Amino acid sequence: KLALLAVYAGASITPERAALAEGMRSCRDCVVEILGEKGRHVSDNFLRDWRKVLKRAIFQIVPPGDTLEREARDQTLAAGAIPVWFDMMVTKENVTVRPHLPWAASLDWKQFSVNFTPPSVLTQLWPQLEAHLRDLKQSGEALSMGRRVAAFRHRLNWTNDGVGVLMLEELAKRLD
């Protein structure tokens, strides 16, 4: 049985991340780890311990960070948790973009991840997100999504049957 509703580890380098961490501190079945400044290396011990935490979590929050690519999203799936990503515009190096999920032409991400649009009032970020995650858990949808994560994970393996097939699917869809 998964004992944790949601977990988050990261640096408070954006207003959304700071509001998320502050709100999650009051959650009785959540874990939040603030890692310090941008670019700070985390220890192997932290990574080993965090993998254990992830395996006990239903959801891992994966907000935008200092790069468009989110390593934590893939770590979440590898551990069997459901990634929660923020649907919002992000500015990096003076360019504003809406990050997209990898393999989007081949994978239906909404089947095994949560797309959350943060409110404009950041003090409402965690209360709204927590209510949404608890609704998903209560309704049984989180359990269904967790099963789909388990069925999906092999597709991210760097093998012919995993990423190899995804690459071919992506290329085929672009040629259509």
Side-chain angles (χ1 to χ4, degrees):
K1 182 166 162 78
L2 301 174
L4 299 172
L5 174 69
V7 298
Y8 163 67
S12 294
I13 58 174
T14 68
E16 293 81 13
R17 283 174 166 237
L20 173 67
E22 182 63 32
M24 285 184 76
R25 285 188 179 101
S26 64
C27 177
R28 68 188 184 289
D29 53 351
C30 298
V31 173
V32 59
E33 289 285 338
I34 303 304
L35 299 179
E37 298 301 315
K38 170 177 145 179
R40 183 178 147 226
H41 177 72
V42 295
S43 71
D44 290 340
N45 288 339
F46 171 80
L47 294 173
R48 183 190 64 241
D49 293 344
W50 190 248
R51 280 191 291 271
K52 291 176 186 173
V53 170
L54 271 176
K55 288 180 181 182
R56 297 176 39 229
I58 299 170
F59 301 101
Q60 176 169 246
I61 316 302
V62 185
D66 55 350
T67 64
L68 290 176
E69 181 58 27
R70 300 303 328 134
E71 184 179 313
R73 176 200 58 237
D74 300 336
Q75 294 166 351
T76 303
L77 292 167
I82 301 164
V84 178
W85 48 281
F86 289 11
D87 186 12
M88 58 184 280
M89 299 301 285
V90 177
T91 301
K92 299 292 175 200
E93 299 176 13
N94 298 319
V95 176
T96 301
V97 297
R98 180 176 303 281
H100 71 280
L101 294 167
W103 318 110
S106 302
L107 300 176
D108 186 5
W109 281 90
K110 66 180 175 272
Q111 294 297 312
F112 51 86
S113 67
V114 175
N115 175 1
F116 178 74
T117 302
S120 57
V121 178
L122 289 180
T123 56
Q124 292 302 305
L125 189 151
W126 176 246
Q128 288 182 18
L129 179 54
E130 181 182 21
H132 182 57
L133 298 180
R134 290 196 187 283
D135 285 347
L136 290 171
K137 180 181 176 184
Q138 182 69 25
S139 71
E141 181 57 22
L143 183 60
S144 296
M145 291 174 85
R147 288 184 186 127
R148 291 189 293 265
V149 165
F152 159 81
R153 288 189 303 187
H154 76 281
R155 298 205 67 192
L156 288 180
N157 290 339
W158 285 90
T159 63
N160 289 339
D161 294 337
V163 171
V165 170
L166 279 174
M167 284 191 288
L168 291 174
E169 289 173 358
E170 291 283 312
L171 288 172
K173 288 186 181 191
R174 290 171 194 249
L175 294 174
D176 285 348

